[in-house]
């Protein structure tokens, strides 16, 4: 697909929303996993105007997953739904107040080696002028152009040392290096379903050892 296909406009929202609506996400209700949720946010890049996905870099000093790339999100509070957690965490981390009506769909739950079940929600954000990253949770924010996600070089699969489970990663030129599962797996599934209309499952992919803690 050409870059013009990813203009940030109503036509893009309707096209992606229709594909996500048709997709039936697989849930993981294992009692052994702690529940978490993330938001994969579609927005217009303030720098380039390109339709993009927002990704964050976590500060190195965080107790869990420090210095790793992530989608805004976190654990569910007591009595909280996965969607409510994704919206709350987006507000706390980025200052962006999204509503239920901004959600285009849900992707498969992803079980992590660190003991979480991540529920990913795809959201549309018309206006990022309120973007105010919380420095305690976000080191930096990057807008990943959709045309980069549609690269034939994604995904990269490498055998994990234990069990030979493929570890999934994606080289993103705007970052200059790779992003690894679980974030890369969620981005890849979004690409397959929303951009290409393909049903692709990702929960079986492995994560690198640095993401286990």
């Amino acid at each position: 697909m050409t870059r013009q296909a990813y203009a940030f406009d109503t036509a893009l929202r309707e096209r992606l929303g229709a594909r996500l609506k048709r997709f039936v996400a697989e849930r993981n209700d294992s009692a052994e996993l702690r529940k978490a949720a993330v938001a994969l946010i579609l927005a217009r890049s303030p720098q380039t105007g390109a339709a993009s996905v927002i990704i964050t870099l976590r500060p190195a000093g965080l107790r869990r997953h420090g210095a790793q790339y992530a989608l805004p999100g976190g654990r569910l509070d007591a009595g909280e739904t996965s969607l409510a957690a994704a919206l709350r965490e987006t507000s706390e981390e980025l200052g962006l107040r999204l509503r239920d009506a901004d959600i285009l769909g849900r992707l498969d739950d992803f079980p992590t080696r660190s003991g979480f079940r991540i529920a990913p929600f795809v959201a549309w954000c018309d206006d990022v002028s309120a973007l105010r990253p919380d420095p305690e949770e976000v080191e930096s924010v990057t807008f990943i152009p959709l045309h980069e996600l549609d690269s034939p070089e994604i995904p990269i699969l490498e055998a994990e040392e234990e069990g030979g489970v493929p570890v999934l990663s994606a080289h993103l030129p705007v970052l200059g290096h790779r992003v690894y599962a679980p974030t890369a797996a969620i981005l890849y599934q979004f690409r397959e379903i929303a951009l290409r209309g393909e049903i692709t499952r990702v929960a079986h992919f492995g994560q690198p050892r640095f993401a286990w803690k």
Side-chain angles (χ1 to χ4, degrees), residues 27-38 73-82 85-86 88-89 106 109-110 112 115-119:
R27 310 293 178 89
N28 186 326
D29 295 319
S30 172
E32 298 179 358
L33 297 173
R34 291 163 287 181
K35 295 181 179 180
V38 298
R75 296 189 195 186
L76 274 63
D77 287 343
E80 191 174 39
T81 66
S82 294
R88 173 182 55 77
E89 289 283 350
R106 178 171 177 166
D109 288 351
F110 192 93
T112 73
F116 286 89
R117 177 233 62 180
I118 301 175

Side-chain angles (χ1 to χ4, degrees), residues 140-156:
S140 64
V141 174
T142 303
F143 286 75
I144 308 297
L146 294 190
H147 68 262
E148 286 195 7
L149 290 183
D150 207 14
S151 166
E153 304 301 320
I154 295 174
I156 300 168

Side-chain angles (χ1 to χ4, degrees), residues 5-213:
Y6 299 124
F8 189 76
D9 55 20
T10 301
L12 179 67
R13 176 172 180 158
E14 291 178 351
R15 184 166 72 250
L16 303 188
R19 290 172 177 169
L20 288 162
K21 186 177 181 179
R22 291 194 296 268
F23 176 69
V24 179
E26 292 186 345
R27 310 293 178 89
N28 186 326
D29 295 319
S30 172
E32 298 179 358
L33 297 173
R34 291 163 287 181
K35 295 181 179 180
V38 298
L40 190 157
I41 303 170
L42 293 157
R44 188 194 311 274
S45 167
Q47 291 78 31
T48 67
S52 304
V53 170
I54 295 176
I55 191 172
T56 70
L57 177 63
R58 294 167 61 82
L62 290 180
R63 185 170 62 88
R64 283 187 174 276
H65 306 301
Q68 295 181 30
Y69 285 99
L71 300 170
R75 296 189 195 186
L76 274 63
D77 287 343
E80 191 174 39
T81 66
S82 294
L83 175 55
L87 297 177
R88 173 182 55 77
E89 289 283 350
T90 296
S91 177
E92 292 175 357
E93 292 185 19
L94 299 179
L96 298 176
R97 298 185 180 277
L98 302 179
R99 305 162 299 163
D100 290 10
D102 297 318
I103 301 300
L104 301 184
R106 178 171 177 166
L107 302 176
D108 287 343
D109 288 351
F110 192 93
T112 73
R113 293 296 293 261
S114 57
F116 286 89
R117 177 233 62 180
I118 301 175
F121 293 88
V122 180
W124 185 272
C125 183
D126 279 313
D127 183 6
V128 295
S129 62
L131 182 67
R132 299 291 186 275
D134 179 354
E136 293 188 0
E137 298 190 74
V138 177
E139 179 74 23
S140 64
V141 174
T142 303
F143 286 75
I144 308 297
L146 294 190
H147 68 262
E148 286 195 7
L149 290 183
D150 207 14
S151 166
E153 304 301 320
I154 295 174
I156 300 168
L157 300 178
E158 298 172 303
E160 181 183 324
E161 293 180 6
E162 293 184 8
V165 179
V167 173
L168 187 149
S169 64
H171 178 78
L172 299 173
V174 71
L175 294 176
H177 49 79
R178 295 191 202 179
V179 173
Y180 288 84
T183 299
I186 295 170
L187 291 172
Y188 171 55
Q189 186 177 48
F190 163 77
R191 190 278 296 277
E192 292 293 282
I193 294 165
L195 301 188
R196 297 188 174 184
E198 302 289 341
I199 304 302
T200 301
R201 305 295 179 181
V202 298
H204 60 287
F205 286 117
Q207 302 128 66
R209 286 186 173 274
F210 65 75
W212 291 12
K213 298 179 179 180

